Amino acid sequence: MKRSHFAVLFCAALSCSAYAIPQAWADNQPPLPVLPEQTDAQKDITIFNTSLHLAPPGEPATVYFALSNSSETAHLLTGVSSPVCQKLMGHHADQESTPGTRVLFTHLALPGNSTLVFPPGGYHLLCFGLSSNVQPNQTVQFTFTFMGGSSKTVSVPVMGAGTDAESDHQPD
């Protein structure tokens, strides 16, 4: 009986260590190098049809935009930030909010020669903690960051609550 207990404990210890060793090994590895075609992603990306829509008090503002990648190379959007928002989070207007949706704009693949649109009724950004000095008919800065460390800052027009989400704002 004692042998069977020992065998079970020994097997359990081996299986636990099998999972722990690769993790420890992976944590000590240097970061993967950035591919050369990713270092200047901002040159290939156009950001247009941008708008930030104010919301009633207590609700987050919404941010809509389109991204176009003019190169053959896929690029990865790794983040969006703005000094006027304390927190930006992905959202879909008609679907349940999930952890994946909330972080969508931190790992979004932009295929080569394509355009992705984030309109009302679809995926877009929610701006929480909007600065109190943001008013309709002004522009605010948003920075889009890409894998490899490049970024692109665009001026986004501010719309009043309930205004049409389509913007004639020219590409940046």
Side-chain angles (χ1 to χ4, degrees):
M1 196 72 159
K2 288 184 180 182
R3 268 190 193 178
S4 64
H5 288 292
F6 176 75
V8 168
L9 289 174
F10 181 73
C11 290
L14 278 177
S15 66
C16 289
S17 66
Y19 291 108
I21 291 172
Q23 180 63 40
W25 181 78
D27 289 344
N28 293 327
Q29 297 303 306
L32 294 173
V34 174
L35 300 172
E37 61 270 11
Q38 297 298 322
T39 57
D40 288 326
Q42 83 286 354
K43 291 180 181 177
D44 299 330
I45 306 297
T46 303
I47 303 164
F48 59 101
N49 286 349
T50 60
S51 60
L52 181 145
H53 292 259
L54 301 177
E59 293 183 29
T62 53
V63 183
Y64 306 107
F65 56 95
L67 301 167
S68 183
N69 180 358
S70 63
S71 76
E72 297 288 326
T73 302
H75 291 297
L76 184 70
L77 177 67
T78 58
V80 182
S81 62
S82 176
V84 302
C85 299
Q86 289 178 4
K87 181 178 182 179
L88 287 164
M89 185 183 331
H91 180 70
H92 191 286
D94 299 328
Q95 295 181 1
E96 179 181 348
S97 184
T98 66
T101 302
R102 290 189 286 272
V103 297
L104 174 66
F105 298 103
T106 64
H107 61 275
L108 179 67
L110 306 172
N113 296 314
S114 66
T115 297
L116 301 177
V117 179
F118 301 98
Y123 290 101
H124 58 276
L125 283 167
L126 295 179
C127 170
F128 291 92
L130 181 66
S131 177
S132 61
N133 61 351
V134 175
Q135 301 297 320
N137 302 318
Q138 71 180 91
T139 60
V140 293
Q141 301 299 303
F142 277 77
T143 300
F144 292 74
T145 305
F146 306 97
M147 185 173 81
S150 66
S151 63
K152 189 168 214 167
T153 299
V154 296
S155 294
V156 175
V158 177
M159 309 293 197
T163 57
D164 184 16
E166 278 300 310
S167 167
D168 292 329
H169 192 251
Q170 295 302 311
D172 286 318

